[in-house]
Amino acid sequence: MSSSSSNDAEALRSRILSSKLYFDVPLSKVPLIYSNSYDIAFLGIEKLHPFDSSKWGRICQFLISFGILDKRCIVEPLEASKDDLLVVHSESYLTSLKDSSNVAKIVEVPPVALLPNCLVQQKVLFPLRKQVGGTVLAAKLAKERGWAINVGGGFHHCSAERGGGFCAYADISLCIHFAFVRLNISRVMIIDLDAHQGNGHEMDFRNDSRVYILDMYNPGIYPFDYEARNYINQKVEVKSGTLTEEYLQKLDKALQVAGNRFDPELIVYNAGTDILDGDPLGRLKISPEGIVQRDEKVFQFAREKHIPIVMLTSGGYMKSSAGVIADSIVNLSKKCLIQTSQG
Ligand SMILES: [Zn+2]
């Protein structure tokens, strides 16, 4: 190792060790992470995106109204600071977010380009940095409790140097780098079941044998990142129009293979719901019940192997998505794969 790279490694370590994102959470709280500031809403511009930008809050409202979650038990994360973000991102990438037209391209809402950057920071990037804080904290909670769900996060198109597809910060990469140092682990499995290819984490962990990536995605939609595809350890392609039964069979087989190949100390499950039938972006035909079964299979996989699991909600912004995610969390609770109330 050259002296500059060992200096870099030392700087990275000290940034992570001095971060406030890993705070202690009392046992009276449930490892379900959410903040009111996750939800993006301003001037009606959010309506221009094919997008339910209050999905995260609606998931919690459903869970509270079903009686399986007490509002006071939700964990509120801290916002990822600039120092936290520098663990993965470069100074120049973070500076590029001070240009509203760059942010507009990343979040795919062209009128954002016309707004003063202070508004963009406050209304778009601050909510996303809160979600990043939630993803990072989720790994600590998963290690302590066996599981954790960040009701937001899963920005899998963003890498250290490039945002895109609504993803401005690489929360998955950040979560894993924090876990390496703070949880003293060295083997992480990413199970990415969002409809889109997770090119951000794939670029960030290329040639890093500590991370095993299982990515099940539709190859006929965004981001068509052929370079990043080379860095997927286990690629499962599901074509447009794939139905629930075929999807779940492929998932069963994929989990079996992954379990034989790699023995992780942490699973990061990117549980996008844009595989739902009718989703205009994902173009797959998975039923709501299929999503519930999918999530159960992944949690069951983690449970059988006694591996802590972090779930992120990632893509899927149809009006129906929040209800499906809430139904799935209820099912995980019923099957005792998670525990959402005390006693
Ligand atoms: Zn997606």
Side-chain angles (χ1 to χ4, degrees):
M1 194 184 269
S2 72
S3 72
S4 83
S5 69
S6 67
N7 285 343
D8 290 350
E10 208 35 63
L12 182 100
R13 214 182 136 72
S14 81
R15 263 187 218 294
I16 291 173
L17 290 173
S18 59
S19 172
K20 295 186 167 58
L21 294 179
Y22 259 46
F23 59 86
D24 285 327
V25 174
L27 281 169
S28 58
K29 302 256 185 185
V30 164
L32 196 133
I33 305 169
Y34 170 75
S35 159
N36 285 330
S37 45
Y38 277 16
D39 298 280
I40 300 172
F42 69 114
L43 312 173
I45 280 177
E46 75 280 1
K47 296 194 176 70
L48 296 173
H49 201 283
F51 201 98
D52 174 12
S53 64
S54 54
K55 164 176 102 168
W56 308 289
R58 293 179 59 237
I59 295 168
C60 291
Q61 283 163 19
F62 278 124
L63 293 173
I64 291 164
S65 69
F66 295 159
I68 78 145
L69 181 67
D70 182 331
K71 198 176 175 194
R72 291 164 302 183
C73 294
I74 296 174
V75 178
E76 161 123 20
L78 294 171
E79 175 193 4
S81 69
K82 186 182 170 190
D83 267 341
D84 296 326
L85 297 169
L86 284 170
V87 164
V88 164
H89 295 292
S90 65
E91 190 85 43
S92 64
Y93 176 73
L94 296 179
T95 304
S96 77
L97 299 178
K98 292 186 175 162
D99 178 344
S100 299
S101 65
N102 275 331
V103 179
K105 277 182 216 143
I106 290 170
V107 301
E108 299 175 343
V109 184
V112 165
L114 306 172
L115 297 171
N117 193 256
C118 59
L119 256 188
V120 173
Q121 291 290 333
Q122 185 193 335
K123 301 290 189 179
V124 180
L125 296 175
F126 169 70
L128 299 181
R129 287 193 296 265
K130 274 288 234 187
Q131 298 196 27
V132 171
T135 300
V136 170
L137 178 63
K140 176 182 192 284
L141 280 171
K143 179 82 189 267
E144 291 167 1
R145 317 275 189 101
W147 65 277
I149 296 173
N150 182 14
V151 174
F155 307 129
H156 64 159
H157 297 305
C158 187
S159 64
E161 297 297 336
R162 203 172 75 185
F166 186 69
C167 305
Y169 301 111
D171 66 327
I172 295 175
S173 306
L174 283 157
C175 169
I176 292 173
H177 278 290
F178 271 73
F180 284 152
V181 172
R182 298 290 289 258
L183 305 179
N184 195 27
I185 61 174
S186 57
R187 294 187 311 278
V188 178
M189 180 182 285
I190 299 173
I191 300 179
D192 193 335
L193 302 187
D194 184 276
H196 299 91
Q197 179 201 344
N199 57 328
H201 56 72
E202 286 154 14
M203 290 308 288
D204 284 345
F205 294 111
R206 61 186 184 272
N207 309 321
D208 188 334
S209 60
R210 297 173 298 176
V211 178
Y212 182 94
I213 299 172
L214 162 57
D215 194 349
M216 202 161 150
Y217 63 94
N218 181 347
I221 57 172
Y222 179 89
F224 302 104
D225 191 332
Y226 297 99
E227 188 194 353
R229 282 182 197 177
N230 295 320
Y231 307 124
I232 304 172
N233 300 86
Q234 193 182 338
K235 191 162 38 176
V236 182
E237 298 194 335
V238 278
K239 293 199 172 66
S240 294
T242 297
L243 298 168
T244 307
E245 196 184 329
E246 182 190 346
Y247 182 91
L248 292 175
Q249 279 170 2
K250 283 191 161 178
L251 176 60
D252 279 335
K253 214 169 141 193
L255 289 174
Q256 201 176 8
V257 171
N260 289 335
R261 284 197 196 161
F262 195 76
D263 176 29
E265 296 161 286
L266 175 71
I267 292 171
V268 177
Y269 172 32
N270 199 46
T273 45
D274 48 8
I275 64 169
L276 258 179
D277 189 9
D279 188 287
L281 303 175
R283 297 195 205 150
L284 300 170
K285 290 185 173 294
I286 313 308
S287 65
E289 300 73 30
I291 300 248
V292 170
Q293 285 182 52
R294 174 194 73 164
D295 294 349
E296 183 180 328
K297 284 175 189 295
V298 177
F299 272 76
Q300 193 67 49
F301 172 79
R303 167 65 60 89
E304 278 163 13
K305 299 180 180 325
H306 309 287
I307 306 161
I309 180 168
V310 165
M311 172 172 153
L312 311 171
T313 59
S314 200
Y317 300 97
M318 289 198 297
K319 278 287 171 206
S320 58
S321 304
V324 174
I325 295 166
D327 286 344
S328 178
I329 292 174
V330 169
N331 178 63
L332 293 174
S333 174
K334 277 190 185 147
K335 300 281 163 66
C336 296
L337 291 163
I338 63 174
Q339 199 185 11
T340 54
S341 57
Q342 302 305 317

